[in-house]
Amino acid sequence: MNIPDLLRAEQPLGPTTMKSSLIDPDTDLAHECYALVYAPTPNRKRFPENCVEVKASEEEARTGADPAKRLVPAVVFGPSRSSEGFRLFYLVRWLD
C-alpha cells in the first residue's frame, strides 16, 4: 500500500465539501483539499508547496486548469513536513 492510499478519505468527497483525513488527529494542519498542481509529468505522487495552489472548491480547481501551463486539478493531502524540511503535498487523485 502506498502513502496516497493511506491518506485517502474513507468516503468520496462531495463537489463542494472536503472531508478531513488526518494522520495526526490532534492537529488539523494537514488535510485533504482541492488544488491546482503544476505537474510537468503526471506520474509524481508528491509535490513541494510551490507547485500546489490550494483552492476553495472542486469547481474552482477545475476552472483554473490550464494544460498549456501544466496546471492540473487534483485532490491533495498536506502540507506535511518532509524529513528534509520541505513542505509537501501528496496526490490523492487527479480530478480530470
Side-chain angles (χ1 to χ4, degrees):
M1 186 176 297
N2 61 29
I3 289 186
D5 290 337
L6 294 173
L7 303 178
R8 196 175 313 275
E10 293 177 7
Q11 299 178 0
L13 301 172
T16 59
T17 60
M18 186 59 64
K19 178 180 170 50
S20 178
S21 292
L22 302 174
I23 290 175
D24 180 358
D26 294 331
T27 182
D28 61 356
L29 296 177
H31 60 280
E32 282 188 0
C33 52
Y34 296 109
L36 276 175
V37 179
Y38 172 70
T41 58
N43 57 352
R44 294 182 65 186
K45 301 298 181 199
R46 63 183 194 159
F47 302 89
E49 68 180 330
N50 65 334
C51 291
V52 177
E53 184 179 338
V54 174
K55 297 295 183 179
S57 68
E58 179 179 359
E59 181 181 344
E60 192 176 329
R62 288 184 185 274
T63 303
D66 187 347
K69 294 181 181 177
R70 298 184 176 145
L71 292 175
V72 184
V75 175
V76 295
F77 182 88
S80 177
R81 179 99 30 209
S82 74
S83 59
E84 296 87 12
F86 297 105
R87 290 169 43 114
L88 300 173
F89 285 85
Y90 292 88
L91 176 67
V92 175
R93 66 183 165 92
W94 298 114
L95 290 176
D96 58 347

